[in-house]
Amino acid sequence: MRVNYLGPLCAGISHPALEGYDLKRFKPSCYLVEVSEEAGVVGPLMEGDLLVVDEQKPAQHADLVIVEVEGEQRLFKSHRIGGQIRLIPPTDSSGSFTARQSDVRGVVVSQARRYAW
């Protein structure tokens, strides 16, 4: 699932979904991405959700991670197998592949959703 990079949290990004969030509690290594329309509007991840990603946190088993694939940032679930990570798309497990820790651009540490328009 594709995500759109919005920028580092320390830049003071203003977004309605972040209202009420204390952005100072996140590390300076965190940045923000928005879930693309590929997610749809059903499920734990929906189009327009904001994800806080820590680029210094190592990927562990069952994390949501951001990986750059073919020039796009994409969201995957991680599955640790020894020293390797199996990356599984959150909506279709048939497109999984093996990666190294160095391929991971960050681990999702928080999710924000705007409920009212």
Side-chain angles (χ1 to χ4, degrees):
M1 169 181 323
R2 201 168 28 87
V3 295
N4 304 311
Y5 176 80
L6 297 179
L9 275 183
C10 61
I13 295 172
S14 177
H15 191 283
L18 294 175
E19 285 182 29
Y21 272 79
D22 179 12
L23 299 181
K24 294 176 190 156
R25 73 181 180 103
F26 295 108
K27 296 178 181 178
S29 58
C30 290
Y31 64 94
L32 200 61
V33 297
E34 183 177 33
V35 176
S36 73
E37 64 277 352
E38 290 175 10
V41 292
V42 179
L45 292 169
M46 295 172 38
E47 174 186 351
D49 282 357
L50 298 183
L51 304 176
V52 177
V53 181
D54 188 342
E55 63 186 354
Q56 290 184 341
K57 185 175 180 181
Q60 300 297 322
H61 187 72
D63 280 339
L64 286 176
V65 297
I66 303 295
V67 177
E68 190 166 327
V69 178
E70 298 175 358
E72 292 182 334
Q73 289 198 355
R74 295 190 148 309
L75 181 69
F76 293 92
K77 288 187 232 176
S78 63
H79 183 83
R80 296 241 3 161
I81 304 170
Q84 294 184 328
I85 302 170
R86 187 91 185 153
L87 299 175
I88 304 165
T91 56
D92 178 19
S93 61
S94 66
S96 68
F97 61 95
T98 303
R100 296 176 305 231
Q101 187 73 258
S102 61
D103 296 326
V104 176
R105 298 292 175 248
V107 175
V108 175
V109 294
S110 187
Q111 176 181 359
R113 179 175 291 163
R114 181 177 176 194
Y115 288 100
W117 297 98

